[in-house]
Amino acid sequence: MSERPEAWPVLDHAELGPMLEYVNRVVQVAGKYSLDDPFEVGWGNIVLEVSPRGLRTPTFRRDGATFTVHYRLLDGDVVIETEGAARTLSLGRTSVADFYASFCEAASELGIPHPGSAQICEIPAAPPHFEDDRVERVWDAHSARLIWEAFDRAAGGLEAWQAPFLGHRPRVGVMWGGFDLSATRWRPKRTDPGPEGPPFMRNAQLHEYVSVGFSFDNTHGDGSSPLDIGMYAYIWPQPDGLTGRSWGVEGADWHPGLGLALLPWQNLRRLPDPHGAIVRFGDAVYEAAVQTAGWPDDLVEPRVDGWYMSEHQPSEHPEHVGHRG
C-alpha cells in the first residue's frame, strides 16, 4: 500500500546535528555490555532494536542479573529494567559524563555490573572517554522524535527486504558506534581484510557480505564531508562492474569514491511508496552482488506479499495462495 510522502519527515542534518551527537554518545554507554556477549558474525550481537519509543538493547545476563536498557527518545529518558526493579534516568539537561556517573550508580543499585569500557567509539571529534565529555547537552524533543521516526520508517523497509533471505542475517538494528541502521546478508566465504583499519572493522570483514542501511551522516572516511542523510549500500569485498548500474529506485546512484550506493532521504520521502522503494533498492544491491560478485541467486525465496497467517487457516500455506515478487 502506498504511503503519503508527508508520513516520512523532512530531515535536516544542521537541525538534527546536536541531538545526533548527544544520542550517539549516550547509547554507547549501555551498548558496551553487548561487547561481552557471544560474538555474532558481523557484530550482529551489538545492534539496538528500534522500539515503539526509541532504541533498546538486547536482553543481557550478567552475574545473576537479567536486564535491558531502553533509550526512550520519545520520552527523553533511559529506563534500566531488571527482573526485580527498574530505574529511570533523565536526559533532559546533563553532560555525557554526568549521565555515565548516574547510569553506573543506578546499575549498582540494581545489582548490575558497570559497563566494561568507558571509551567513546567511532566519533572522531569526541573526547576519549565518557568521563571526559562534560559539555552540557540539552534535550530537544522535536529532534529526538525525528531521529526515531527516520529509524522507524527505514527499519520497516529493511525488515521487509531481509525477510525472504535464507542465509545468515543478523536482526535489523542500530549499530551504536557509527549510529547507522544496518541490514546485512552474509555468506560463509572467508576474506582477508588485511592489516589496515580498527579491529572491529577487520572482524566484520572476515566473510563476504551485502549491507544495506540508513545513516544520518554518509561521509567520506575522515568524517569531514557529510553527504545526504539517507539509505546506503555496499558489497564486501567490493567487486568490479558497479559503475553505471541501475539501483532500482529513481534518485539512487553509485558513488565510486565512497564505495557506496546512496539513496538520499529527500528523494526517498517524495516517492509514492518509500517503504517499497527501500525493498527495491535492497533487491537491486543484492542483484548486483549476484551478477558481479558471484553471489548465489537461490538464497532468496520469492517474497510473500499480502498473505498473513492471521487471515488464513493453519492448514493453508503461502504456495497455495500464490507468491508475488
Side-chain angles (χ1 to χ4, degrees), residues 1-323:
M1 182 175 65
S2 297
E3 298 176 82
R4 295 179 305 163
E6 302 92 272
W8 292 59
V10 175
L11 303 177
D12 184 326
H13 196 279
E15 175 188 3
L16 299 178
M19 277 300 292
L20 290 169
E21 290 182 1
Y22 186 11
V23 177
N24 192 178
R25 285 161 167 78
V26 296
V27 297
Q28 294 196 15
V29 173
K32 298 297 184 181
Y33 290 110
S34 64
L35 296 176
D36 297 322
D37 271 1
F39 177 74
E40 183 178 339
V41 171
W43 293 106
N45 52 297
I46 77 166
V47 298
L48 303 174
E49 173 197 4
V50 181
S51 77
R53 302 203 66 78
L55 302 173
R56 182 163 42 211
T57 70
T59 298
F60 299 120
R61 295 169 178 85
R62 298 285 187 280
D63 300 340
T66 301
F67 65 99
T68 63
V69 181
H70 194 180
Y71 290 89
R72 301 199 307 175
L73 302 185
L74 303 191
D75 303 283
D77 61 25
V78 177
V79 179
I80 311 172
E81 186 176 28
T82 73
E83 72 279 13
R87 296 288 186 277
T88 301
L89 307 176
S90 174
L91 292 169
R93 182 185 290 270
T94 186
S95 68
V96 174
D98 287 344
F99 171 78
Y100 179 65
S102 298
F103 183 95
C104 290
E105 180 180 359
S108 294
E109 293 172 355
L110 293 168
I112 300 169
H114 294 178
S117 169
Q119 183 178 3
I120 299 176
C121 300
E122 300 183 60
I123 306 176
H129 299 97
F130 299 131
E131 302 98 320
D132 304 321
D133 194 331
R134 299 196 169 277
V135 176
E136 184 179 73
R137 312 280 177 173
V138 179
W139 192 256
D140 180 343
H142 176 66
S143 293
R145 174 170 282 277
L146 289 176
I147 292 170
W148 174 81
E149 286 184 3
F151 277 142
D152 182 59
R153 304 295 193 275
L158 291 173
E159 288 164 356
W161 174 65
Q162 280 288 51
F165 185 63
L166 299 177
H168 177 67
R169 50 182 177 94
R171 64 191 183 280
V172 173
V174 173
M175 309 292 281
W176 48 257
F179 206 54
D180 61 310
L181 183 71
S182 176
T184 309
R185 295 177 174 182
W186 295 83
R187 66 168 169 169
K189 187 173 181 180
R190 295 290 296 228
T191 69
D192 180 11
E196 302 298 325
F200 78 88
M201 183 176 295
R202 296 201 305 273
N203 285 342
Q205 295 175 339
L206 292 175
H207 299 85
E208 294 190 1
Y209 64 90
V210 175
S211 184
V212 183
F214 165 81
S215 176
F216 287 100
D217 192 15
N218 292 317
T219 65
H220 291 275
D222 61 0
S224 63
S225 304
L227 297 173
D228 291 325
I229 296 170
M231 309 303 298
Y232 69 84
Y234 64 98
I235 301 166
W236 169 259
Q238 182 179 310
D240 296 328
L242 298 179
T243 300
R245 293 188 63 89
S246 170
W247 298 96
V249 182
E250 182 181 356
D253 202 5
W254 174 250
H255 293 252
L258 299 175
L260 297 172
L262 298 178
L263 173 56
W265 184 268
Q266 61 184 356
N267 295 351
L268 175 64
R269 66 174 298 274
R270 295 191 184 109
L271 296 172
D273 179 13
H275 174 95
I278 292 175
V279 176
R280 294 195 302 275
F281 178 61
D283 284 347
V285 174
Y286 190 80
E287 182 64 20
V290 171
Q291 294 181 359
T292 66
W295 274 66
D297 60 5
D298 59 355
L299 279 181
V300 183
E301 285 281 276
R303 185 167 283 110
V304 178
D305 185 6
W307 188 93
Y308 302 99
M309 180 63 79
S310 63
E311 301 170 1
H312 297 274
Q313 295 300 316
S315 59
E316 296 183 65
H317 299 285
E319 60 266 30
H320 298 153
V321 179
H323 290 99

